[in-house]
Amino acid sequence: MNLIASTLRELAGQPFVLRERGSTTRRAFEAAMGEQGLRVTAVFEIESREGVWKAVEQGLGIGVVADFEFVPHSNLRALEIRGRAIETQYSIAYHRERAPSPIIKAFIDTVSRMKERPARVSKRQRRAGRG
């Protein structure tokens, strides 16, 4: 995967293919742009990341997906944002009566450990398309 770097300012004014309004990744991207007084020009709104990839592959604009969602493709390149970390937050919801479930407990324990020690993705893993 060829990783090209750019700043948010350099991306301002470019045509973007974005997920639907309310998408976590879209909200984070638009907020980061807005904090710098930059506007996002959405030429398409698509309800799936696969649709975003296909639209980008057809040359319709720049797609915005989370780094861990990017799937290497011979016609697509990852663009690393320099000078600004764009982060999202996720929540876990479950029915309180099912909390004692071994599966739910194991899942919550795993997520808690991951939160304490976020995974570091090496440059080699990024190039190999694993991050």
Side-chain angles (χ1 to χ4, degrees):
M1 169 169 60
N2 294 337
L3 193 65
I4 304 167
S6 186
T7 65
L8 291 176
R9 188 159 305 284
E10 292 168 335
L11 295 174
Q14 295 296 317
F16 283 94
V17 177
L18 300 174
R19 292 287 306 268
E20 71 283 357
R21 290 191 186 281
S23 156
T24 301
T25 302
R26 178 178 177 161
R27 283 194 323 254
F29 179 68
E30 289 179 330
M33 292 287 276
E35 287 170 9
Q36 294 189 17
L38 305 171
R39 293 190 58 214
V40 178
T41 305
V43 293
F44 281 100
E45 292 181 3
I46 300 176
E47 293 189 12
S48 73
R49 72 181 73 88
E50 292 83 4
V52 169
W53 298 332
K54 286 294 183 187
V56 171
E57 184 180 9
Q58 294 301 312
L60 299 176
I62 298 171
V64 178
V65 297
D67 57 352
F68 63 88
E69 294 177 330
F70 181 76
V71 175
H73 187 284
S74 60
N75 294 331
L76 301 176
R77 298 291 175 263
L79 181 68
E80 182 178 13
I81 305 299
R82 288 190 324 248
R84 175 65 163 82
I86 300 174
E87 298 177 347
T88 57
Q89 294 181 351
Y90 294 89
S91 300
I92 298 172
Y94 56 89
H95 194 283
R96 77 180 81 179
E97 291 177 13
R98 295 190 180 184
S101 159
I103 292 174
I104 291 175
K105 184 176 178 343
F107 179 74
I108 291 171
D109 289 346
T110 299
V111 170
S112 295
R113 283 193 308 274
M114 291 171 69
K115 186 176 176 182
E116 291 169 7
R117 294 180 290 115
R120 297 274 188 235
V121 178
S122 72
K123 287 182 182 178
R124 192 175 112 239
Q125 287 173 311
R126 281 192 189 117
R127 282 193 301 271
R130 288 181 239 131

